[in-house]
Amino acid sequence: MENKTLEKEKILDVKNISKEFPGVKALNNFNFDLYKGEVHGLIGENGAGKSTFIKLLSGAFQPNIGEITISGETHKYLTPHVARRLGIQTVYQEDILVPGISAAENIFLGTELIDSKKFFVSYRTMTDQANTLAEQMGITLKVDEIYERLSPSDQQFVKILKALAQKPKVLILDEPTQAFNVKDIGLVIEMVKRISKEGVGVIYIAHDLEEIIEVADRITVLRDGRAINTHDKKLEKYQPDDLAKEMIGRPVDLFFKKKESPVGDYIFEVRDLKIKESAKPISFRVREGEILGVAGLKGAGRSEIARAIFGAYRKLGGKIFYKGKNITPSNPIQAVKSGIALLTESKKVDGLFMGLPVDHNITVVGIDSIGKLFLSLGKERKLCNEYVNKLNIKTPSLNKEIRFLSGGNQQKVVIAKWLFKGVNILIVDEPTHGIDVNAKTEVYELFTELAASGKSIIMISSEMPELISLSDRIIIIRNYEISKVLEKNEINEENILSGFMGGN
Amino acid sequence: MSNSKEIKQKVNGPASIVDKLRFLNNQIVYLVLVIIVIGVAASVLNQNFLTLRNLLNIMQQISTLGILTMCMALLMISGGLDISIGNMTGLLAIIFARMLLTGKSIFLSVIVVLLLGLVFGFINGVIIAKSKVTPLIITLGMNYVFLGIALIVGGGRPQAITGQFQFLGQAKIGGIVPVAIIIFLLIFIFSFLLRKYTKYGRRLNAIGGNPLAAYLSGINVDLHIISIYALSGLIVGFTSLILISRLGMVQADVGANFALQALAAAIIGGITFEGGKGSLVGAFFGVLLLGILSNALNIVGVSSFTQTIVLGAIIVVATVISNIGKMRR
């Protein structure tokens, strides 16, 4: 026992933890431990329970059962305050610092190095200390630069330094390299190794398997809220494929069984679309009645490509054709006129009018069809009711403000909005994000029907089952380029995953 | 399966009574109640309150403010705001007076004032739509620009058009109903129809509710914003004509308080800064409440200083009440 303590000291021990949300078991009897000076990687698909776990450690959520032991103290749950006192620091992906003040000020925000005898904040001390911290971590960072003027990767460094300034025992990094290009990922990995050498235990979450294999001493695979396996670098050799298989292995019945329908000729074409200087231009075609899957990791540029096609994102070059005619839209107004629809991922932010009633949301784009000079509200009501019934939108009335509907029903209203307008090409970005399983199936059925009726769907998705069961073809996007095209008979998880990594 | 369909049909079927009464949204019901309470109290305290003459008098007094409130309400529903409409009114009235005094025809002067109103609103709209700066700041600045121009045009002196152009502000149809009231009501009905029954109004509403979603829905957001400010400017032109016709004499800063009063009336009527919300009927009753309250306080003999306090308190109470409703939801 004593020998072991000398050898390596366990600073975090999570035992038999479970966390349930209504209808979902996010974590199920999960065990996890972390040693001093160790990098412990955590991988799993979206929804596997990674974020829930982090939030339990940072005190944002509280587990239903289980216990967390940290630095010898055992707790049933943590609060944000206790977590901080025990030395747990988390760098979230979506962390936002104060944009208008310097990097150094951000790093010491809330813990300003105030000389207790003085009233004023010492900017020089702050800058010096921030510089020392950056130096220790082996990065060059202009600490007196205004935060919002820093590059995305430097901003990420600032976030990490901010956490380090608290002198943590456990540092949780949630996809720290998301904003990075390949070269800078190396810098993060080096930095993380340095941090762990100082004796900090690091929990490292990433989607890129090669990256996590490089940085982590041990890797735990999470799937459906359970720890599937924990690999130790010292004891075994493992490849991305091994990990991917463990991540996937899900029951087959989660897949949607699509009724196949014949697809027609090519009607829509994206030719030499370029939105990032360093990336190769993108070209692809879509057939009538086809569902084209667009796979890729978060940040690979899929949403930007979708917006560029729709005229809502700056294009550096490229043309869009519909039935052989150049329709390249320079704004959404033209795109909608040409019969293109964009269903955004963040529908609450930029797809729906949350304060407006259901019927207004449905008719907003296609309002021309309910009257010339004056609108016929009766006709509007009648047509909306048809859509509500057809799409099985559950709402107490058409007058209900849409923010009161569930995510699934909101998504159906967005779809209804575009169908009401009558479009030919639907670009859908993460169509089932944040909606429950039943609503998902309904959306899938709807897409299948739409495709069968001759509409073409370009479906961006991060959900494997969705991509695999719905797509007629899949293009995989990596760093704003098409890295791979999969024909119907080539579509499977291994091929998609290898496309993510840039393999063949 | 068929069973559940039937149930759904019922739920989504013909509008229920609750739905039909929904236009009586809470704030309007409160407003009407408050107006009735004030009316009853005032008529008990003074018999002259509840006479046709006094009621028409109230309506005439609020007609200019009422028209400006319609402008403000339409702009707020579209997610905007125009603080400059007060001094814009003053400037246009001064220009009109100068034109008459320098011998221009009434016809030409009216046309010029209306066109200038349109242009002023257009300028506001273009700056706001293109710069994406918050309308409050832009129109606050323009408010001073208009005041400054009005001072220059009028030489800093009051401009009197004694005896000329009395029709809009002083004439009474059939010797009873003032023309100003008719114009106010027409503009109210116009705004109401525009908002509720036209594609244009629906799109404005959508832009007010979520400009980003409106843009991604293929709505020409800039065009709508510019045009509603221009339309508002045109209506301000009408207001200035009624005002000078009624007063016969104007100073550059005659409208200094108009914009904030119109804003207050709109807010009391349930229009919010959120955009896409509230109704013009509410705004109408908001103005009516202000008019009746001021008249009632006058009749009862409350000083105008005290009235100012009451006005302020009402704005605070009305907004707090509408927010309580929101918290309950």
Side-chain angles (χ1 to χ4, degrees), chain B residues 78-245:
Chain B
S78 327
L81 179 79
D82 193 343
I83 295 296
S84 73
I85 54 176
N87 282 336
M88 198 194 288
T89 309
L91 171 57
L92 291 171
I94 291 269
I95 288 173
F96 183 79
R98 286 309 305 162
M99 285 185 75
L100 283 196
L101 293 174
T102 51
K104 307 285 185 304
S105 75
I106 287 184
F107 177 76
L108 178 68
S109 309
V110 167
I111 296 295
V112 167
V113 161
L114 293 181
L115 278 181
L116 277 178
L118 191 74
V119 170
F120 292 161
F122 177 80
I123 293 171
N124 280 348
V126 169
I127 299 174
I128 288 161
K130 295 300 174 189
S131 73
K132 319 275 183 224
V133 176
T134 162
L136 176 71
I137 310 290
I138 301 292
T139 58
L140 193 62
M142 292 305 285
N143 190 41
Y144 285 106
V145 172
F146 292 143
L147 177 63
I149 300 175
L151 286 167
I152 292 171
V153 173
R157 286 179 297 276
Q159 303 293 323
I161 54 161
T162 336
Q164 300 181 71
F165 192 64
Q166 293 180 331
F167 176 72
L168 279 180
Q170 297 179 27
K172 292 179 178 171
I173 290 181
I176 303 168
V177 185
V179 174
I181 297 182
I182 305 289
I183 296 177
F184 168 37
L185 291 178
L186 285 177
I187 288 179
F188 163 58
I189 291 166
F190 168 78
S191 313
F192 174 78
L193 292 178
L194 185 77
R195 158 93 194 291
K196 188 153 186 192
Y197 291 98
T198 69
K199 290 178 254 182
Y200 179 73
R202 209 48 101 58
R203 291 189 181 127
L204 285 178
N205 207 47
I207 291 168
N210 187 345
L212 190 56
Y215 170 71
L216 289 176
S217 296
I219 292 174
N220 193 336
V221 176
D222 286 359
L223 181 73
H224 281 78
I225 289 181
I226 293 170
S227 59
I228 190 61
Y229 276 94
L231 177 66
S232 162
L234 178 66
I235 299 176
V236 169
F238 280 110
T239 316
S240 70
L241 294 177
I242 295 175
L243 186 75
I244 190 157
S245 172

Side-chain angles (χ1 to χ4, degrees), chain A residues 349 352 372 375 380 385, chain B residues 8 12 197 199 202 210 217:
Chain A
V349 179
L352 289 166
K372 283 209 156 72
L375 301 173
E380 178 179 37
N385 268 324
Chain B
K8 191 155 51 60
N12 293 324
Y197 291 98
K199 290 178 254 182
R202 209 48 101 58
N210 187 345
S217 296

Side-chain angles (χ1 to χ4, degrees), chain A residues 244-298:
Chain A
K245 273 189 193 128
E246 287 181 355
M247 275 167 60
I248 301 160
R250 75 169 72 71
V252 187
D253 59 350
L254 274 181
F255 284 83
F256 172 74
K257 285 180 193 65
K258 181 190 171 194
K259 232 186 283 160
E260 297 297 338
S261 59
V263 290
D265 293 331
Y266 287 107
I267 51 164
F268 187 73
E269 182 182 356
V270 173
R271 196 183 291 168
D272 296 330
L273 176 68
K274 202 169 165 66
I275 53 174
K276 198 178 174 191
E277 204 58 68
S278 59
K280 273 187 293 200
I282 290 163
S283 296
F284 63 87
R285 295 192 292 171
V286 190
R287 288 171 293 188
E288 195 169 5
E290 180 179 39
I291 300 181
L292 176 74
V294 181
L297 294 169
K298 273 183 197 160

Side-chain angles (χ1 to χ4, degrees), chain A residues 307 310-312 332-333 336 344 349-353 355-356 360 363-365 367-368 371-375 377 380-381 385 388-389 392 395-397 399 401 403 417-418, chain B residues 5 8-9 11-15 19-20 22 193-194 196-199 202-203 205-207 209-221 274-277 326 329:
Chain A
R307 280 174 188 248
F310 191 64
I333 304 164
V336 172
T344 55
V349 179
D350 53 19
L352 289 166
F353 303 88
L356 301 190
H360 288 202
T363 56
V364 64
V365 192
I367 196 139
D368 283 332
K372 283 209 156 72
L373 182 59
F374 286 106
L375 301 173
L377 299 192
E380 178 179 37
R381 178 167 282 276
N385 268 324
V388 163
N389 288 332
N392 196 20
T395 173
S397 95
N399 291 331
E401 283 177 28
R403 62 202 167 96
K417 171 175 92 173
W418 291 108
Chain B
K5 268 252 163 73
K8 191 155 51 60
Q9 285 283 9
V11 173
N12 293 324
D19 277 352
K20 279 183 179 158
R22 197 173 287 264
L193 292 178
L194 185 77
K196 188 153 186 192
Y197 291 98
T198 69
K199 290 178 254 182
R202 209 48 101 58
R203 291 189 181 127
N205 207 47
I207 291 168
N210 187 345
L212 190 56
Y215 170 71
L216 289 176
S217 296
I219 292 174
N220 193 336
V221 176
E274 266 174 77
K277 290 261 174 71
K326 194 194 281 168
R329 267 184 287 168

Side-chain angles (χ1 to χ4, degrees), chain A residues 82-97:
Chain A
V82 171
R84 209 171 306 148
R85 180 174 62 78
L86 293 172
I88 300 179
Q89 282 291 327
T90 310
V91 180
Y92 289 108
Q93 296 169 49
E94 66 273 21
D95 261 349
I96 294 164
L97 302 186

